Amino acid sequence: MIGSPSTPLARQARLLAKIVRGLRKERRMTVVEVAELMGVAPRTYQDFEAGKGELDLHKIRLFAKAARNDAVANVLALMFEDPELPVQTMDNKLLSTLWITFKEFRERVGARLALVPPALLLSAFRRAFDEIEGYLAKRTESTEEWLERAIAEAYRPSDPVDETPHAP
């Protein structure tokens, strides 16, 4: 990614470097490990991680596979300047899952996709995200309930010890 420090390409390069380095460190991987898994020389990977060279979507996909994260999230993070997105989706691959599911849907409906009104899409996506949010609320709730019970049990007083001396 070439350009002066203030050009959009230079900003994208810095952002990509931040994203890639952050994900690699989050996975506790070394430069050599990632380079090996990507099938590139360590120096090539270092240049990629530093944001040097042209934006290379192929390398972004190779990196995502090597670091087990979401390639679609990496690209969208660059487009919308959201470096937290790849970290938040690195384990569940939300955006790659969404893309694959959409691709399957598109194959089924073909050109009819153009007939779907935005309001219907918005409604469907909101329902799906509301369901996910409900799941997260229940999960948090059940985790908190479990923790509360576990703490109560752990700190429950033990049976009193009989401290009266016994006659021999």
Side-chain angles (χ1 to χ4, degrees), residues 113-128:
L113 182 61
L115 303 173
V116 180
L120 178 60
L121 296 171
L122 184 59
S123 174
F125 294 145
R126 283 187 172 154
R127 278 193 313 273

Side-chain angles (χ1 to χ4, degrees), residues 2 25-26 34 45 54 62 82 84 90 98 113 127 160:
I2 24 183
K25 289 181 178 183
E26 191 74 29
V34 175
Y45 174 74
E54 298 294 320
L62 288 175
D82 186 355
E84 291 84 25
M90 71 182 197
L98 184 61
L113 182 61
R127 278 193 313 273

Side-chain angles (χ1 to χ4, degrees), residues 74-108:
N74 296 348
V75 173
L76 290 177
L78 285 175
M79 285 179 59
F80 297 108
E81 298 180 3
D82 186 355
E84 291 84 25
L85 181 62
V87 173
Q88 292 171 332
T89 63
M90 71 182 197
D91 290 326
N92 65 19
K93 320 284 187 291
L94 176 92
L95 295 167
S96 287
T97 302
L98 184 61
W99 169 249
I100 292 165
T101 306
F102 170 72
K103 199 172 151 192
E104 291 171 349
F105 171 70
R106 194 174 126 218
E107 288 169 3
R108 290 194 313 269

